Amino acid sequence: MANIKKGDTILMLSGKNKGKKGKVIKVNPEKMTLIVEGINVAKRHQKPMQKNPGGIIEKALPFAASKAILVCPRCGKPTRISVTKVEGKNMRSCLKCEEIMDKV
Ligand SMILES: [Zn+2]
């Protein structure tokens, strides 16, 4: 897993969403997939029902984590990370600006 966590911003490296950025909603470490806001969205038409007026429902679908790279919240650049131990915890740090990304 490319050390991407929920709440991170990622940049798409390949596929039809290449170059787009989005916020990670869900990570599935077992399947190595991500669900990202506004990326890989499927539109579904729903028929109107009693309590639901129907219409088009948008749902973000999971895709392979390898298609995305983490964007550093400090320098705003897509980057790989290194892991640094801070007070016994594994913290991710940016290889570009060397800032620790995770909150202590
Ligand atoms: Zn950085």
Side-chain angles (χ1 to χ4, degrees), residues 8 35 53 66 72:
D8 286 341
I35 297 177
S66 59
C72 173

Side-chain angles (χ1 to χ4, degrees), residues 13-59:
L13 293 173
S14 62
K16 62 180 177 181
N17 291 301
K18 189 177 172 182
K20 275 192 188 174
K21 284 182 188 175
K23 193 178 166 190
V24 178
I25 303 168
K26 206 174 179 186
V27 176
N28 187 331
E30 281 168 25
K31 291 183 180 171
M32 306 267 285
T33 58
L34 302 173
I35 297 177
V36 178
E37 217 169 65
I39 306 277
N40 204 24
V41 175
K43 284 182 185 175
R44 259 186 221 161
H45 293 267
Q46 196 173 66
K47 283 178 188 165
M49 287 191 285
Q50 258 184 344
K51 286 180 185 171
N52 190 328
I56 297 166
I57 290 182
E58 292 194 351
K59 194 172 182 253

